[in-house]
Amino acid sequence: MKSAEATSDTQKILDIGLEHLSQLRALESLCFEYHWTEEQFRLGLEKKAFFVLGYEEQGLLVGYLAYSIVLDEMEVLNLGVHPDFRRKGIGRALMQGLMLRCREMDVKRGLLDVKESNVPAIGLYESLGFVQVGVRKNYYPDTREDALLYDLNF
Ligand SMILES: CC(C)(COP(=O)(O)OP(=O)(O)OC[C@H]1O[C@@H](n2cnc3c(N)ncnc32)[C@H](O)[C@@H]1OP(=O)(O)O)[C@@H](O)C(=O)NCCC(=O)NCCS
């Protein structure tokens, strides 16, 4: 792990690097049916097309958040928490960690999309101040569900 912002001795938010690919890939497959391959993670991280924050508890990667930053705009690409560790504030901690970094980097705006049926994620994003600004019809290749588009001005 490259760096750590300790929230306590046992719970940390970290920048995820190539050395954590297999853990990241394993965690993602627990969180999503339709997921990225290890190669997609590798290429993205190598080319800095996106970045990943991880949440570690007692040495185990239990949450991750993939995001990109282009100029002064951030986009959340993926957020997942291990099923056994949900509803403990980990998703919120990862999002707040990212929002803090964005403010420090003078990023002005955050964007994301979410499946209209994803009640937990919508609850999380709205509780952080994200506001729905649009809908993309039949957006997701796996379910053909609509995407709700959310936006936050920092
Ligand atoms: C969405 C997800 C990341 C939330 O992570 P989490 O660590 O469980 O969330 P938190 O404990 O930080 O919850 C923060 C808030 O989100 C909302 N929330 C989380 N889970 C919820 C649920 N099951 N039902 C309703 N609201 C929920 C609540 O507003 C909650 O605040 P509260 O606990 O004070 O009520 C997690 O459910 C997950 O990994 N889901 C599968 C992958 C996924 O759908 N990712 C999002 C893709 S856009």
Side-chain angles (χ1 to χ4, degrees):
M1 304 282 176
K2 284 181 185 164
S3 68
E5 293 163 15
T7 53
S8 83
D9 285 341
T10 52
Q11 302 177 336
K12 291 174 184 171
I13 293 178
L14 312 117
D15 288 310
I16 293 289
L18 291 174
E19 67 275 30
H20 304 109
L21 276 183
S22 58
Q23 274 194 81
L24 183 57
R25 174 67 183 77
L27 175 60
E28 208 210 14
S29 61
L30 286 174
C31 296
F32 294 98
E33 278 182 41
Y34 183 83
H35 41 72
W36 295 354
T37 63
E38 197 167 312
E39 197 51 24
Q40 283 171 310
F41 274 121
R42 178 188 306 284
L43 281 174
L45 287 170
E46 272 175 359
K47 292 181 186 304
K48 299 194 188 312
F50 56 76
F51 306 92
V52 181
L53 289 182
Y55 191 103
E56 195 185 46
E57 200 158 291
Q58 292 171 352
L60 195 69
L61 185 69
V62 294
Y64 78 98
L65 198 179
Y67 65 98
S68 63
I69 293 183
V70 178
L71 301 175
D72 62 357
E73 230 171 60
M74 174 277 284
E75 184 171 1
V76 174
L77 304 177
N78 235 343
L79 168 67
V81 173
H82 188 297
D84 295 345
F85 289 81
R86 287 185 189 158
R87 216 66 203 262
K88 295 175 187 293
I90 295 174
R92 184 188 300 283
L94 282 165
M95 284 295 295
Q96 286 176 332
L98 174 59
M99 287 159 68
L100 182 66
R101 283 170 188 224
C102 286
R103 291 192 178 100
E104 284 169 357
M105 289 187 291
D106 215 18
V107 171
K108 300 271 189 287
R109 188 175 178 217
L111 305 167
L112 59 85
D113 62 78
V114 57
K115 283 180 176 165
E116 61 177 350
S117 66
N118 196 341
V119 172
I122 291 170
L124 169 60
Y125 299 140
E126 290 188 350
S127 76
L128 291 167
F130 280 83
V131 175
Q132 194 193 323
V133 290
V135 178
R136 249 182 223 138
K137 294 304 239 181
N138 308 320
Y139 181 67
Y140 297 100
D142 53 347
T143 57
R144 309 304 306 166
E145 251 182 272
D146 292 353
L148 307 185
L149 308 179
Y150 277 83
D151 186 307
L152 177 65
N153 284 317
F154 294 122

